[in-house]
Amino acid sequence: MTRFRGLNYRRPAYLLMLMNLLGFGLLFVKNGYNLNMLYVGAGLLGLFIFIYSIIVLCNMGDKFIVLMACMLITIGVLLLCRLNLEFGIKQIIWVAVGGVVFFASYLIYYHIRFWHKLWMFYGILGTGLFLATLILGTTVNGSRNWITFGGFSFQPSEITKILFIMLLACYYSGAWEKPLGRITPKWMTLLITYLFIGFLVLQRDWGTILVLFAIYLFMIYVYEKTYGFLLMNLGAASLVAVLGYRFLYHIQVRVSTWMDPWADISNKGYQITQSLFAIASGNYFGRGLGNGSPGYIPEVHSDFIFAAVCEEMGVFGGAAIIILFFLIAYRCFKIAITATEPYDKAVCLGLTLMFAIQTFIIVGGVIKMIPLTGITLPFVSYGGTSIVVNFISLGIIQAISAKEERRGGGKGGK
Amino acid sequence: MTFYTLLSSIFSYFFTIIIYLFIFGVIRLIYLDVKKMSRFEDESVNVSGLETAALRTMLSRSHAESELKKRYMIYGHAMIGRNKSCDITLREKYISGEHVRIWHEDGEWYLEDLGSRNGTIINGQRIRNTVILDAQDQITLGELHFVFEL
Amino acid sequence: MANKKKPAEQPEMIKKGYSANRRMIHVLVAVCLMFLSLVTYLLYFNMFEAREVAANPYNKRQWEDERFVKRGNIYDRDGVLLAETVVDGDNRTRRYPKGNLYSHVIGYYSRVYGKSQLEMAYDKELLGHGDITINFNELRSGYDLNLTIDHDLQQYAYSQLSGRNGAIVALEPATGKVLCMVSYPDFSPNAKTLEQNWSAIVEREDSPLLARATQGLYAPGSTYKIATAAAAYESGRMAETFQDTGVFEQDGMKVANYGEKAYGELGLKRGFELSSNFVFCTLGYEMGAQKVLKKAEDFGINQGFSFDIATSKSRIEYKKMVDADSALVSIGQGQLLMTPLHVAMMGASVANKGKMMQPYLVNSITTASGVTLATTRPSMAYQPMNQECALYLDELMRGVVANGTGTGARISGITVAGKTGTAENETNKDHAWFVGYAPAEDPKIAVAVLLEYDGGAGGSNAAPIARRVMQKYLQ
């Protein structure tokens, strides 16, 4: 490809490395020349180099998505290390696990070719996870969405998101057309969607409800050629929303704190106002890593990490995160559009929407553009389940893009 | 103002610059990548200024089918085989590393079998040496069937 | 191509006008807009809302710098300590040795209720922002403020108010330096007391938190005749005589003189000295709304001026001002409201040959070690009249004190010029006003006194206070 001079995949990778070096070097100084910081940084950098080289060397399809995800992880880990070194180290371990899971899901998805036949499996597994959460779950911050066993806890709703997408893809790729009893697959998907949402209402996990429902609506828009079904669902959603607002105290509180968080700063509006204080004190370039006080924000390591980014790396840093997510979404959309197998197309679309919507909901919530619903910011927030599930999604998208490139006779390669 | 605060405030500008350079670099790569792809995929544009022809894939029951493109473009000259270095790479077990060569010369399209193990069949007839191709000729390579199009 | 698609689905997919890919591009556009809106909102927030949000007292970041900084002291013009920070281990206490005296000038400083007045306006300077000297974990000192206030005068003025609600402002006419600025009622700015009594203070009917001198808006009453006389001078009506019947009647509106006295035939000068409403209503009515409003704006009314601490903007609020309204405004009533500080500036501008100086409180900013970082330079805010006009007004104002309504301000051996005012308001107790300066030949001090809902006349109640303040300063 000599015709494309300067098509150098290494330059952004070098910048990523530089970011890591400077970032961890700075934290090294901050923590009183604590060598652990350098080990942590070196570990993360090694991990990135390892993952990225395998992708490039084995020609595993798209080379940008993982690179951008690495940048997001870098920003996230830098802040986590700065907030609490322990969180940072745990996060890096999760990233390492995520890397393994990434390649595993890549290989599994690439080689198994009957995903589109497994709709019943997805539905039953999803329902099972929900039931398990309801029975075994523990309540954290008012949402009953954690399962703990043996000192190890995870959020099943993160996994059900992927199952849900794969289930939708079964129908919308046209692979699932046999009715179950007298219910056609279209109504079956509708039923399962509302069943899942019902479970999530019981768990009070409003963020995930929004994500699942938005994915469902967008899928309907893309695949149903008439608008009737979409409008019907929208109607149902608004009805439920209005009823929820009338009768559920939780939702009323969320809306009222969104409209005027200043009315009750020390109580209901505490989280969001602390987040706004952080963003407001960051200005354009931020106060500098370690100079701010993101510690005042509750849940700063998970849901509110975006506010911490804005405080310490500035509004420009925050905007950069949004841009990175947009670029990831753009690449994934491109893969979805060029994918030839309908099932791959639908899965890729669903996963892309998952990233995009999740980012929009939490970032919009943290900056008070929309009512706040707790949900993690993919790749940046602290959280094992979130990191692993996001890596699984990336692995699947990577596999789809690799299939597509190889089908093209190696033409799309390097 | 402590030393660290000052250092960190200075670094905050570096970070912003690095992140945006990174974003810019990625955007540029994506742009070049899309441009490159479009040169290969857009069939209506003949960037090379050469004669073009195409091999249209016919449906067959081969296990490799899912990885086949609908149509392979040939710009003046194409080497076809299993090797990655070929202009058209076909990953199919009955195709040799370098299987056939198709090229344009003096207003005619030629096909030459490069001594493949399983041979090349054109319109049902196995060929051993160079032949001139006509439009709508059926070409069989291993278990794959194509139609030659001008 | 791949044959995974079921035949039943196939025709549906190929139907005209529909393509999954096209719909996907729509979704991509939607996602793009979503992200764009996020970035836009973030930038919008940072540009237009962030400043206010960050200054919210609940934002604990504001108090962070305090851990490393000893907040600067505040001194009067002679170096009398007015505010200091006492460091005791990790505790910082802001101490105000003069108690309530400066509660409306320096303000308060509370972790719960935030900051006010100079503590707020000069927060950055007091914390020594912009100091780039690097030191290692040492307690750094913020910058000190040196005010233009004369503490003795401030204390004296405060004692002269003696518990009456109102305000006294004294300025140096030539520079705009604030020599004293007292507002009453006041409160204890000590953070601890303030936090304990906050709700009581806020709920008190006489609103002690209102800095009357700078933020209280009052009808200026007859003191505003200074501006009207300036307008009349410019219209060349000095030689005219008026037939004062005691009541001005026009367009169904009646305005009586103070005490409903009829002065008979008199000129502008005598009308000013006696504070005849008839004369000035007639002038205002005849000059018309346009001219009266124009003159008010020359004096900075409806325009505002910058000051070290927050001020209310003096204003004339009419949707459409008619000539009858201008008659009322000309005697300082109607919809005209001014702050005591602005009234003092009006008086000072006559004293300063027609130049209204920018008032200021902070004379200089110095480092803890005594290096002066910045000194405020006097500057002119408005020029409401020319020098001849100012000299003419000076003559009128001298007359008021010499043989008019303001005799209460007379000081033996010093020529005092001034103007009294008794402003009607929504209650039946008038505000008593006096604005004046001395010595008239070379004015050193201009004073405005306001007694809120006093019920008495400016000449009898406000003028003696002004006299004593001027006398004290000129000793």
Side-chain angles (χ1 to χ4, degrees):
Chain A
M1 298 308 146
T2 47
R3 210 186 309 159
F4 298 98
R5 281 204 307 133
L7 190 56
N8 183 347
Y9 288 102
R10 279 168 302 187
R11 191 180 295 165
Y14 287 149
L15 285 168
L16 178 69
M17 283 158 80
L18 186 65
M19 181 80 188
N20 271 278
L21 288 176
L22 288 182
F24 285 100
L26 190 65
L27 287 179
F28 172 62
V29 176
K30 177 183 164 26
N31 284 26
Y33 306 94
N34 182 349
L35 279 174
N36 281 343
M37 207 41 109
L38 291 187
Y39 300 146
V40 165
L44 189 65
L45 193 54
L47 211 56
F48 288 160
I49 294 172
F50 178 72
I51 295 176
Y52 192 60
S53 336
I54 290 189
I55 290 173
V56 174
L57 290 177
C58 301
N59 204 10
M60 280 167 58
D62 194 284
K63 288 163 195 66
F64 308 111
I65 297 175
V66 170
L67 198 62
M68 290 184 283
C70 285
M71 187 50 127
L72 289 171
I73 292 171
T74 305
I75 296 174
V77 170
L78 279 176
L79 274 164
L80 288 171
C81 282
R82 170 252 176 280
L83 285 168
N84 184 340
L85 187 56
E86 198 192 330
F87 280 167
I89 293 170
K90 276 194 189 159
Q91 179 84 340
I92 290 175
I93 295 170
W94 280 117
V95 173
V97 173
V100 174
V101 172
F102 169 76
F103 289 114
S105 73
Y106 171 86
L107 289 172
I108 294 170
Y109 191 85
Y110 191 87
H111 289 288
I112 295 180
R113 303 264 163 129
F114 50 80
W115 294 108
H116 53 282
K117 294 174 185 148
L118 299 176
W119 67 268
M120 203 180 279
F121 167 74
Y122 306 136
I124 290 169
L125 190 60
T127 316
L129 278 172
F130 277 126
L131 287 175
T133 324
L134 283 179
I135 297 161
L136 307 167
T138 44
T139 309
V140 176
N141 291 324
S143 296
R144 190 183 178 82
N145 52 5
W146 288 84
I147 292 186
T148 316
F149 43 77
F152 170 79
S153 58
F154 74 107
Q155 259 180 306
S157 62
E158 294 271 353
I159 297 163
T160 40
K161 271 187 262 182
I162 294 190
L163 292 175
F164 175 72
I165 288 164
M166 297 188 97
L167 180 102
L168 282 187
C170 285
Y171 170 63
Y172 285 110
S173 63
W176 170 21
E177 53 177 7
K178 212 175 78 200
L180 186 81
R182 297 163 86 190
I183 313 168
T184 57
K186 180 165 161 178
W187 293 95
M188 209 46 205
T189 50
L190 182 89
L191 214 66
I192 293 174
T193 308
Y194 282 88
L195 178 74
F196 280 14
I197 287 174
F199 279 126
L200 288 165
V201 170
L202 292 180
Q203 295 178 14
R204 306 228 161 89
D205 193 347
W206 314 111
T208 314
I209 294 176
L210 276 180
V211 173
L212 289 196
F213 201 70
I215 291 174
Y216 187 54
L217 289 181
F218 276 123
M219 290 292 256
I220 292 174
Y221 175 74
V222 171
Y223 284 106
E224 297 283 346
K225 64 182 189 307
T226 54
Y227 297 112
F229 194 58
L230 179 69
L231 290 177
M232 192 199 88
N233 271 293
L234 275 175
S238 31
L239 188 72
V240 169
V242 168
L243 286 178
Y245 183 71
R246 284 291 297 274
F247 297 113
L248 285 175
Y249 180 66
H250 283 263
I251 294 176
Q252 286 168 9
V253 167
R254 268 159 212 261
V255 173
S256 67
T257 45
W258 169 61
M259 306 249 253
D260 187 12
W262 311 106
D264 191 5
I265 297 183
S266 47
N267 259 317
K268 290 170 196 148
Y270 189 75
Q271 283 190 322
I272 183 71
T273 48
Q274 288 301 329
S275 156
L276 290 178
F277 289 152
I279 298 169
S281 52
N283 223 329
Y284 289 106
F285 289 93
R287 300 174 72 184
L289 195 64
N291 285 355
S293 346
Y296 294 145
I297 317 166
E299 292 295 307
V300 65
H301 54 278
S302 61
D303 296 358
F304 283 90
I305 197 149
F306 186 78
V309 172
C310 283
E311 177 173 8
E312 303 222 313
M313 305 179 108
V315 166
F316 287 154
I321 285 194
I322 299 170
I323 295 171
L324 284 172
F325 274 113
F326 171 68
L327 288 176
I328 290 181
Y330 165 75
R331 279 311 279 183
C332 295
F333 266 110
K334 191 182 159 276
I335 293 168
I337 287 167
T338 50
T340 38
E341 275 195 51
Y343 184 74
D344 287 351
K345 212 181 179 75
V347 167
C348 190
L349 176 69
L351 295 174
T352 311
L353 285 170
M354 181 180 88
F355 284 132
I357 293 164
Q358 215 167 314
T359 310
F360 178 75
I361 287 175
I362 188 61
V363 173
V366 164
I367 65 178
K368 201 180 85 74
M369 193 171 90
I370 55 173
L372 180 71
T373 34
I375 201 167
T376 54
L377 183 60
F379 300 114
V380 186
S381 288
Y382 172 74
T385 328
S386 159
I387 287 279
V388 167
V389 166
N390 289 325
F391 266 112
I392 293 176
S393 318
L394 266 197
I396 294 171
I397 292 171
Q398 199 76 43
I400 293 168
S401 94
K403 270 192 203 173
E404 214 46 51
E405 279 194 7
R406 290 185 189 167
R407 181 173 295 133
K411 277 277 157 75
K414 40 184 180 163
Chain B
M1 185 175 285
T2 61
F3 170 66
Y4 178 76
T5 341
L6 181 70
L7 185 73
S8 178
S9 323
I10 295 169
F11 267 52
S12 68
Y13 294 95
F14 283 135
F15 285 143
T16 312
I17 292 167
I18 292 173
I19 297 174
Y20 279 91
L21 278 178
F22 176 86
I23 289 174
F24 173 74
V26 171
I27 291 176
R28 192 170 138 273
L29 282 182
I30 290 175
Y31 168 73
L32 291 173
D33 188 58
V34 168
K35 211 163 105 180
K36 187 180 76 176
M37 298 287 254
S38 67
R39 291 198 189 189
F40 285 104
E41 279 169 3
D42 192 348
E43 291 157 25
S44 60
V45 180
N46 179 4
V47 284
S48 53
L50 295 167
E51 285 290 319
T52 52
L55 289 178
R56 179 162 58 84
T57 314
M58 293 190 41
L59 292 179
S60 70
R61 301 212 174 278
S62 162
H63 61 272
E65 63 188 317
S66 63
E67 291 197 353
L68 288 179
K69 273 194 180 182
K70 271 185 195 155
R71 184 180 268 117
Y72 293 97
M73 299 303 293
I74 301 167
Y75 302 102
H77 169 268
M79 179 77 83
I80 301 169
R82 211 175 56 221
N83 285 356
K84 264 191 183 176
S85 56
C86 292
D87 299 304
I88 297 171
T89 308
L90 300 170
R91 291 166 174 273
E92 205 259 358
K93 61 181 170 180
Y94 297 110
I95 288 180
S96 302
E98 291 186 343
H99 200 110
V100 290
R101 193 160 72 92
I102 297 177
W103 75 95
H104 185 259
E105 206 179 301
D106 303 329
E108 295 287 356
W109 283 92
Y110 295 89
L111 179 147
E112 182 190 12
D113 189 290
L114 299 167
S116 62
R117 198 182 306 153
N118 296 299
T120 304
I121 297 165
I122 294 183
N123 299 333
Q125 207 168 356
R126 179 149 186 173
I127 57 149
R128 295 276 170 216
N129 45 8
T130 310
V131 293
I132 291 178
L133 287 173
D134 291 320
Q136 302 304 319
D137 276 351
Q138 289 197 15
I139 303 172
T140 305
L141 307 170
E143 286 196 336
L144 302 178
H145 306 284
F146 299 95
V147 174
F148 183 75
E149 289 182 334
L150 287 177
Chain C
M1 232 309 293
N3 58 354
K4 295 266 155 56
K5 273 184 217 150
K6 294 296 178 282
E9 213 75 17
Q10 201 105 14
E12 202 180 9
M13 292 282 185
I14 308 170
K15 246 187 185 172
K16 256 197 175 164
Y18 168 82
S19 129
N21 277 353
R22 193 176 306 152
R23 290 270 174 98
M24 271 191 209
I25 289 169
H26 294 171
V27 175
L28 174 62
V29 171
V31 168
C32 185
L33 288 177
M34 271 157 56
F35 284 119
L36 201 66
S37 65
L38 285 180
V39 174
T40 317
Y41 185 84
L42 195 59
L43 288 174
Y44 162 80
F45 176 81
N46 193 48
M47 276 192 267
F48 300 109
E49 289 180 4
R51 202 176 274 260
E52 199 186 321
V53 168
N56 190 301
Y58 282 88
N59 184 2
K60 295 176 217 157
R61 283 166 190 76
Q62 292 177 89
W63 309 101
E64 267 174 10
D65 291 343
E66 324 276 312
R67 281 188 295 140
F68 309 108
V69 182
K70 182 177 174 295
R71 198 175 172 82
N73 298 344
I74 301 178
Y75 300 101
D76 92 329
R77 65 175 194 175
D78 302 315
V80 176
L81 184 71
L82 306 180
E84 65 173 342
T85 293
V86 181
V87 181
D88 172 27
D90 270 349
N91 288 328
R92 310 265 185 284
T93 322
R94 192 76 171 152
R95 223 171 60 82
Y96 302 100
K98 307 300 173 199
N100 295 9
L101 188 53
Y102 292 95
S103 55
H104 291 302
V105 178
I106 293 172
Y108 56 82
Y109 177 82
S110 151
R111 292 206 170 218
V112 183
Y113 299 107
K115 302 159 200 170
S116 72
Q117 311 297 32
L118 283 175
E119 294 277 24
M120 179 166 79
Y122 280 82
D123 192 44
K124 285 204 164 130
E125 288 76 7
L126 287 166
L127 287 174
H129 269 214
D131 181 3
I132 51 155
T133 50
I134 296 170
N135 52 7
F136 292 88
N137 298 323
E138 233 174 78
L139 190 65
R140 188 166 56 83
S141 289
Y143 303 144
D144 297 340
L145 302 183
N146 303 297
L147 305 188
T148 55
I149 298 263
D150 178 343
H151 172 66
D152 293 337
L153 192 68
Q154 175 90 359
Q155 188 127 50
Y156 186 76
Y158 185 79
S159 71
Q160 287 304 313
L161 264 186
S162 63
R164 278 176 284 183
N165 292 358
I168 299 177
V169 180
L171 302 171
E172 193 173 81
T175 54
K177 282 181 182 173
V178 177
L179 300 172
C180 80
M181 191 157 80
V182 180
S183 303
Y184 195 87
D186 52 16
F187 58 94
S188 166
N190 179 293
K192 221 172 171 184
T193 341
L194 187 72
E195 282 158 26
Q196 278 167 2
N197 302 327
W198 181 263
S199 48
I201 293 175
V202 171
E203 283 159 18
R204 247 169 73 181
E205 224 169 284
D206 55 359
S207 23
L209 285 179
L210 175 70
R212 284 168 167 69
T214 45
Q215 287 175 309
L217 285 169
Y218 303 89
S222 300
T223 56
Y224 190 73
K225 286 174 185 161
I226 295 172
T228 312
Y233 177 86
E234 278 164 21
S235 312
R237 310 188 59 162
M238 296 84 74
E240 238 169 276
T241 53
F242 301 85
Q243 205 57 48
D244 188 343
T245 55
V247 180
F248 170 79
E249 247 186 300
Q250 202 63 250
D251 300 351
M253 183 187 69
K254 269 189 184 175
V255 180
N257 283 341
Y258 185 73
E260 287 176 33
K261 281 182 199 151
Y263 297 110
E265 190 176 307
L266 77 179
L268 179 58
K269 182 168 188 302
R270 195 60 195 147
F272 190 84
E273 286 167 3
L274 295 173
S275 199
S276 159
N277 285 345
F278 178 87
V279 171
F280 282 86
C281 281
T282 310
L283 281 170
Y285 187 79
E286 284 171 15
M287 286 187 293
Q290 209 82 36
K291 171 77 182 160
V292 170
L293 196 61
K294 166 76 175 44
K295 198 73 230 159
E297 281 168 6
D298 285 349
F299 274 94
I301 292 162
N302 281 351
Q303 312 281 313
F305 52 89
S306 61
F307 191 45
D308 292 319
I309 57 178
T311 54
S312 298
K313 193 195 274 181
S314 301
R315 55 181 177 245
I316 297 177
E317 268 182 339
Y318 287 105
K319 279 204 186 87
K320 174 87 178 74
M321 192 168 158
V322 296
D323 294 345
D325 298 327
S326 69
L328 273 181
V329 166
S330 295
I331 58 164
Q333 301 284 169
Q335 299 292 341
L336 167 65
L337 294 172
M338 289 178 81
T339 57
L341 174 64
H342 205 159
V343 172
M345 286 162 67
M346 192 164 71
S349 69
V350 177
N352 194 36
K353 309 279 180 287
K355 289 187 173 122
M356 187 185 267
M357 301 305 286
Q358 187 81 51
Y360 62 97
L361 269 172
V362 177
N363 189 35
S364 64
I365 300 170
T366 51
T367 64
S369 49
V371 180
T372 304
L373 295 172
T375 309
T376 312
R377 286 226 200 92
S379 64
M380 193 177 76
Y382 295 98
Q383 179 154 22
M385 62 199 112
N386 59 28
Q387 196 167 343
E388 290 74 42
C389 178
L391 288 174
Y392 176 71
L393 286 179
D394 179 56
E395 192 192 322
L396 296 193
M397 286 170 74
R398 287 188 203 200
V400 170
V401 177
N403 49 15
T405 53
T407 47
R410 226 185 282 161
I411 306 171
S412 62
I414 299 171
T415 329
V416 178
K419 180 74 195 82
T420 59
T422 309
E424 290 174 17
N425 51 53
E426 68 282 1
T427 69
N428 54 12
K429 290 187 161 184
D430 297 344
H431 300 312
W433 279 99
F434 182 84
V435 57
Y437 54 89
E441 297 78 18
D442 177 24
K444 292 268 185 272
I445 180 172
V447 179
V449 176
L450 158 76
L451 299 176
E452 188 184 272
Y453 307 118
D454 181 67
S460 56
N461 292 5
I465 297 177
R467 181 192 75 214
R468 288 193 282 271
V469 171
M470 288 189 278
Q471 204 166 12
K472 165 84 179 161
Y473 183 73
L474 296 172
Q475 263 171 18

